[in-house]
Amino acid sequence: MTNLSNACDRLGPVAKQSGDEVEKLFQISLTEFTSARNTLAAKLKKDGDAEDAERVKTLGKPSISAWVANQLYWRHRKPFERLLAAGDQFRNAQAAQLAGKSSDMRAPIEARREALAELTHHAADVLRDAGHPASPDTMRRVTTTLEALATYGQQPDAPQAGRLTADVDPPGFEALAALVPRGIDRVGQRQTPPRVIPFSHPKPEPRKRKASDDKQEARRLEAERRAREAEAQRELREAERALADARKAAERARAAMKSAAARAKAAEKARAALESRFEKLTAAVEAARQDARRVASQAEEAAQAVDDAERAVKTAREKLKG
C-alpha cells in the first residue's frame, strides 16, 4: 500500500489520501464512518503500516453537508464533472475579457447553474434516503461547498472532491484572482502555467500603476459585477421555484389529507354496517340451530310413536289369532 498523506488547507480539512480502502470510507453512510475508519486503521497497523494507520486514524468524520457533497461526487459524477468544467470555462472566459478579448461568459454561467440545480436536487434525495432532513441550513451549506468547488474547478491544488471532511468556502478575492489563467497568447495556447492557490502568498513588489492597469482592473470589476448579478438572478429564480414547489406540495398535502379523511369516514361507516349485519347473521344462525334441534326432537318423538304403534298392532293381531 502506498504512503498516505493528509492535507488540511486553509479552506477546510480535505483528506487527500490515496488507495481504494480510504476512498470507500467517504462513500459509506455517515454513521458507519468512524467505525470503518478505526477498523481500517487497525488493519493497517496489524499489517505493519503503523504510519499509514496513524494517518487514517486522524481522518475527521465529515460534516453532514461535506458528506453529501462526497456522495454527489461518487454517485452523480457526470453532473459533478459538468459543474467543475463550467467553473474552468468561466475562468478562461474571464481571463480572455481581462486580456481585452471578446468572450461569452453567459454560456459557462448557465452551464454552471444547470449542473448546480441538478446536483442540489440529488443532494435532497441523498439526505432523505439516508434518513437525514433536507433542512434549509444543510442545503445552503451543500450548495456553498458545490459553488466553491466550481470556483476552484479542476486546478491541481483545488480541494479534492469526494474526500471532503468539512465544508469548503469560496476563495477570497486574492485567491480568486490567483485562479484566473495567465499568459494566453493569440492562438489560445498557454505561455505560462496557470497559478493555483498557494498556502502562503509572497508580498508583491511595489510598482507604478499604468493606465492599462486601471482599464484591466475596471474590466475585471465589471466582469465580477456581471457574475454576481447573474448569480443573484439565479438564486432568485431558484428561490421562486422552490416557493412555488412548496406551495404546490402543501396544496397536494391538504388535498390528500381531505381525501384520506373521507376514505377513513367511509371505511368506518362500512365497518359499522358490517358489524351490524354480522350480529344479525349470528342471531339468525343461532335461531336456525335452535329450530333444527327442535325439529330433530320432534322427529325422534314421531319415530318413537311409530314404533309404539307398530308394536300395538302386532300385539292386537296376535290376540285375534289366539
Side-chain angles (χ1 to χ4, degrees):
M1 180 174 180
T2 58
N3 287 337
L4 305 177
S5 62
N6 184 26
C8 296
D9 61 21
R10 61 188 180 86
L11 302 166
V14 180
K16 294 185 176 180
Q17 285 78 6
S18 61
D20 294 340
E21 290 179 308
V22 175
E23 286 185 348
K24 290 178 181 177
L25 290 178
F26 295 94
Q27 301 177 46
I28 61 178
S29 68
L30 195 58
T31 56
E32 298 174 322
F33 181 88
T34 301
S35 175
R37 178 201 61 195
N38 294 341
T39 299
L40 176 58
K43 176 179 177 295
L44 291 172
K45 186 175 182 179
K46 183 178 179 181
D47 293 343
D49 297 332
E51 184 178 355
D52 291 351
E54 186 62 28
R55 287 169 176 165
V56 168
K57 194 173 182 179
T58 60
L59 284 174
K61 180 180 179 180
S63 65
I64 180 66
S65 46
W67 177 80
V68 173
N70 290 336
Q71 305 318 300
L72 294 176
Y73 174 81
W74 295 114
R75 304 182 193 180
H76 304 283
R77 186 67 60 83
K78 288 184 178 180
F80 205 103
E81 290 180 346
R82 289 201 302 270
L83 179 68
L84 299 184
D88 289 336
Q89 292 169 7
F90 177 79
R91 282 193 306 279
N92 291 333
Q94 190 178 46
Q97 286 198 354
L98 292 175
K101 301 177 182 179
S102 175
S103 178
D104 180 17
M105 300 184 67
R106 291 176 296 179
I109 289 176
E110 182 63 20
R112 176 177 176 272
R113 184 195 68 78
E114 292 178 356
L116 189 60
E118 182 177 352
L119 289 172
T120 302
H121 175 75
H122 290 315
D125 292 339
V126 168
L127 283 166
R128 282 192 291 268
D129 292 344
H132 300 289
S135 65
D137 179 65
T138 300
M139 293 301 297
R140 177 188 59 78
R141 289 188 286 123
V142 171
T143 302
T144 299
T145 293
L146 292 175
E147 289 175 340
L149 292 175
T151 302
Y152 286 101
Q154 303 179 60
Q155 297 292 323
D157 283 357
Q160 191 168 3
R163 293 185 178 184
L164 303 177
T165 60
D167 299 339
V168 180
D169 295 325
F173 173 78
E174 182 183 4
L176 183 62
L179 284 172
V180 177
R182 306 296 184 185
I184 300 179
D185 61 18
R186 287 177 297 179
V187 295
Q189 299 295 325
R190 292 190 185 277
Q191 296 173 334
T192 58
R195 292 181 61 197
V196 296
I197 297 178
F199 287 98
S200 61
H201 298 277
K203 294 183 179 180
E205 294 293 332
R207 62 184 181 86
K208 296 182 180 180
R209 293 184 60 86
K210 299 179 181 179
S212 59
D213 293 337
D214 293 335
K215 292 181 180 180
Q216 184 174 347
E217 178 69 8
R219 286 194 294 267
R220 185 189 61 76
L221 292 175
E222 176 62 18
E224 288 185 352
R225 185 195 65 78
R226 288 198 296 268
R228 287 194 301 270
E229 181 180 351
E231 182 66 14
Q233 291 177 351
R234 178 193 66 77
E235 292 178 353
L236 175 60
R237 289 194 299 269
E238 291 185 354
E240 289 175 343
R241 283 197 296 269
L243 176 60
D245 292 342
R247 285 174 174 171
K248 290 179 181 178
E251 184 61 30
R252 289 194 297 268
R254 284 193 292 268
M257 181 182 66
K258 291 180 180 178
S259 177
R263 290 196 302 271
K265 185 177 180 180
E268 180 63 25
K269 185 177 180 180
R271 184 185 65 82
L274 288 173
E275 288 179 350
S276 176
R277 185 178 178 187
F278 178 75
E279 291 176 356
K280 292 179 180 179
L281 289 173
T282 301
V285 168
E286 184 59 29
R289 287 175 177 171
Q290 292 178 0
D291 287 344
R293 286 193 293 268
R294 180 177 54 81
V295 171
S297 178
Q298 292 176 351
E300 289 178 358
E301 292 176 356
Q304 185 61 44
V306 169
D307 290 341
D308 293 343
E310 287 179 346
R311 283 195 297 271
V313 170
K314 182 178 180 180
T315 302
R317 287 177 177 172
E318 289 177 347
K319 287 180 178 181
L320 287 174
K321 289 179 180 180

